[in-house]
Amino acid sequence: FTTTVIDLYRNYQSLDLPVYVLPGNHDSLRARSPYNEPWPPNVHIFRSTEFETLTAEEIGCSITGMGHAHRGIRERLSAIRVPHSDTPISILLFHGSRDSYRPSEKETVIPFSDAELLAQNFTYTAIGHYHSYSEISDGRCVRGAYSGCVQGRGLDEIGMKCVLVGEISPEGTVELEKVEVAERRIVRIEADVTGCRDSAEVFARMDAAVSGQVRPCDVGCVFLKGMLAPGVELDTTEWESRQSMFAVSVNTSSVEPDYDLDFLSRESTA
């Protein structure tokens, strides 16, 4: 067991609540998966390769889910048999790819449309796979959502990351609250340096772009763009050294030299 798994085990064990865990395509049920090890009695790991339903009769709720036994399941949600309980509240858990919503180049697993999901008629569906928040509504309230990852790990996972805390009323109305648990955000900032005459003006543009956008605990990724006179020094080491944020990087790959083409043309024909 890794330190992370041991910490999860202890935290789950300390809860006076049932915990339902769904292996996904990246942490699937491989031979040496920690999901195949014993877990506390209040934890249920969905290990079946078909959807299964559990019932919590004391609260009138059923939980349906399916674990991934390999990297990807390509069948559409509408083509898979999903059992449904007659409990007042029903929750579906699965790892899937929502049509027309692909925030990054992710593997396609159990693709579905909003209409296909709503046709399953679950009170609420907790969806994994994509690393940014997204919700699906039936026009009255939220019926499904991606919580996203809890901590950004790169420039494709910027901004606030959260967990979802939800409440379902006896009438089946769903309310969700996004709760940020990560200490840091990865923040992408763009600064246009077109027309700057020296490094001091470049730094001033960068200061203006960063102001109010990054907290001291965050990681700031500053992307410079625009046209800059060839003689302007673009060494940002000094600027980076006086930033108060946890970490900072500067990308200058989109800055192009602002040559005076008319002058160069005259020079070449002289």
Side-chain angles (χ1 to χ4, degrees):
F1 277 85
T2 65
T3 301
T4 300
V5 174
I6 292 172
D7 287 343
L8 285 174
Y9 185 100
R10 291 171 177 169
N11 288 332
Y12 290 162
Q13 190 176 41
S14 69
L15 296 173
D16 187 25
L17 294 168
V19 177
Y20 301 93
V21 180
L22 192 77
N25 63 320
H26 285 291
D27 56 344
S28 57
L29 289 164
R30 295 181 287 269
R32 300 179 63 185
S33 168
Y35 294 132
N36 292 319
E37 302 294 332
W39 285 81
N42 64 318
V43 176
H44 178 83
I45 310 290
F46 284 93
R47 296 186 177 94
S48 173
T49 56
E50 296 181 351
F51 279 103
E52 60 174 317
T53 299
L54 307 174
T55 302
E57 294 185 0
E58 66 277 10
I59 57 173
C61 178
S62 63
I63 300 93
T64 299
M66 175 178 64
H68 281 242
H70 51 83
R71 276 298 303 270
I73 301 172
R74 300 296 196 279
E75 294 88 349
R76 293 193 68 84
L77 179 64
S78 58
I80 303 173
R81 180 183 176 276
V82 184
H84 203 293
S85 174
D86 59 0
T87 53
I89 295 172
S90 56
I91 296 174
L92 175 63
L93 311 175
F94 80 105
H95 220 64
S97 301
R98 182 185 181 189
D99 292 348
S100 304
Y101 180 78
R102 195 173 184 179
S104 58
E105 291 301 313
K106 300 285 288 183
E107 178 184 14
T108 298
V109 295
I110 313 185
F112 68 95
S113 66
D114 291 8
E116 286 173 323
L117 180 67
L118 294 173
Q120 297 290 337
N121 202 33
F122 282 86
T123 310
Y124 177 72
T125 300
I127 316 166
H129 192 39
Y130 292 158
H131 292 185
S132 56
Y133 177 81
S134 175
E135 65 180 46
I136 296 166
S137 170
D138 65 356
R140 297 188 304 111
C141 70
V142 176
R143 289 299 175 198
Y146 291 92
S147 64
C149 58
V150 298
Q151 172 66 70
R153 303 167 303 166
L155 288 173
D156 58 339
E157 297 173 355
I158 60 175
M160 187 182 84
K161 297 299 178 182
C162 62
V163 297
L164 297 180
V165 178
E167 182 173 335
I168 301 176
S169 72
E171 295 74 34
T173 300
V174 180
E175 294 185 357
L176 297 180
E177 177 187 1
K178 292 190 282 186
V179 178
E180 188 172 17
V181 295
E183 180 181 357
R184 312 185 201 289
R185 300 176 187 173
I186 297 176
V187 183
R188 179 186 176 113
I189 306 118
E190 291 189 356
D192 192 331
V193 297
T194 300
C196 290
R197 292 167 294 183
D198 53 36
S199 58
E201 289 191 7
V202 171
F203 294 166
R205 296 273 184 95
M206 295 168 70
D207 286 336
V210 168
S211 178
Q213 302 299 312
V214 187
R215 306 170 301 176
C217 59
D218 290 337
V219 176
C221 302
V222 183
F223 286 77
L224 303 185
K225 64 179 182 179
M227 307 289 287
L228 202 60
V232 176
E233 181 69 32
L234 200 54
D235 183 353
T236 62
T237 306
E238 176 192 341
W239 183 88
E240 293 176 44
S241 67
R242 56 184 172 82
Q243 300 307 303
S244 61
M245 64 192 82
F246 176 77
V248 61
S249 69
V250 179
N251 186 304
T252 62
S253 62
S254 293
V255 177
E256 300 180 14
D258 189 14
Y259 293 116
D260 186 338
L261 299 181
D262 290 337
F263 174 78
L264 293 176
S265 177
R266 291 194 298 272
E267 285 286 297
S268 65
T269 58

